[in-house]
Amino acid sequence: MAGQYLDQIAYNKMLSVEDSLLYEVYELKRPEVAGEILHGISIVHPGKVGDEFYMTKGHYHTVLDTAEIYYTLKGEGYMVMETPEGEWAVEKLSPGSVLYIPPRWAHRSVNIGSEQDLVMFFAYPGDAGHNYATIETQGFRKLVVHKGGKVEIIDNPRWLPPEGI
């Protein structure tokens, strides 16, 4: 998660004390080919780096025209999403909610709970692949932060406009 949080000083300070586990992904291993449906569980633990809530790294799919489905089992959070063209959306996640991630949309899960894990079931086509490199370079356009006692969606000042995937 190096470079993913806005407050790099807070991130490095946290890392110097302990390499905290921010999230976990458990996936049933299946062949990564067309026709298969890969699926599993993601768990984002509660916590913050500076004002920013714990989150997943986020990714596009290697096969850009690939969708994904998330079903929230436990916890509260947001899914931060954007397209290569810079469109963005932030969707609320709560127990029982189903979220469809359309093709071409990068996505990142954010846990806004202070004590409870955000736990989600996910499923996507077997040949989708994952592209983390684009997010590592440009970041996400929006951040989910805790300011003044409330959750806010803010612009990411470090976000870089897309150069294509």
Side-chain angles (χ1 to χ4, degrees):
M1 293 297 289
Q4 297 304 299
Y5 285 95
L6 181 60
D7 188 341
Q8 286 295 290
I9 294 170
Y11 176 79
N12 289 328
K13 182 177 179 183
M14 182 183 84
L15 196 57
S16 73
V17 173
E18 180 183 6
D19 190 4
S20 300
L21 183 62
L22 308 183
Y23 72 96
E24 303 170 69
V25 176
Y26 299 95
E27 191 166 20
L28 182 65
K29 249 347 200 177
R30 299 289 310 149
E32 295 181 13
V33 297
E36 289 284 347
I37 297 177
L38 303 182
H39 58 285
I41 299 287
S42 70
I43 303 166
V44 184
H45 300 296
K48 290 185 286 188
V49 175
D51 293 332
E52 207 170 347
F53 293 98
Y54 282 4
M55 60 190 174
T56 61
K57 193 172 205 175
H59 63 272
Y60 283 97
H61 288 283
T62 306
V63 176
L64 198 53
D65 287 325
T66 301
E68 188 164 353
I69 292 177
Y70 283 85
Y71 176 74
T72 306
L73 299 166
K74 178 180 165 185
E76 301 286 333
Y78 286 97
M79 186 70 74
V80 178
M81 303 180 297
E82 68 183 57
T83 67
E85 295 76 31
E87 286 183 72
W88 64 273
V90 178
E91 298 289 337
K92 183 83 168 105
L93 301 168
S94 58
S97 66
V98 176
L99 181 61
Y100 174 76
I101 310 289
R104 301 183 57 73
W105 286 78
H107 43 287
R108 160 182 280 164
S109 308
V110 180
N111 182 354
I112 62 167
S114 60
E115 297 181 17
Q116 191 173 56
D117 288 336
L118 174 62
V119 182
M120 293 179 295
F121 170 84
F122 60 85
Y124 60 95
D127 61 344
H130 293 91
N131 169 356
Y132 294 98
T134 299
I135 299 305
E136 289 172 354
T137 302
Q138 78 182 41
F140 271 85
R141 189 171 196 149
K142 298 294 178 178
L143 303 174
V144 182
V145 298
H146 190 244
K147 292 248 188 195
K150 63 180 184 171
V151 177
E152 291 187 23
I153 311 301
I154 64 168
D155 290 333
N156 180 355
R158 292 177 42 213
W159 178 75
L160 300 172
E163 293 182 18
I165 295 182

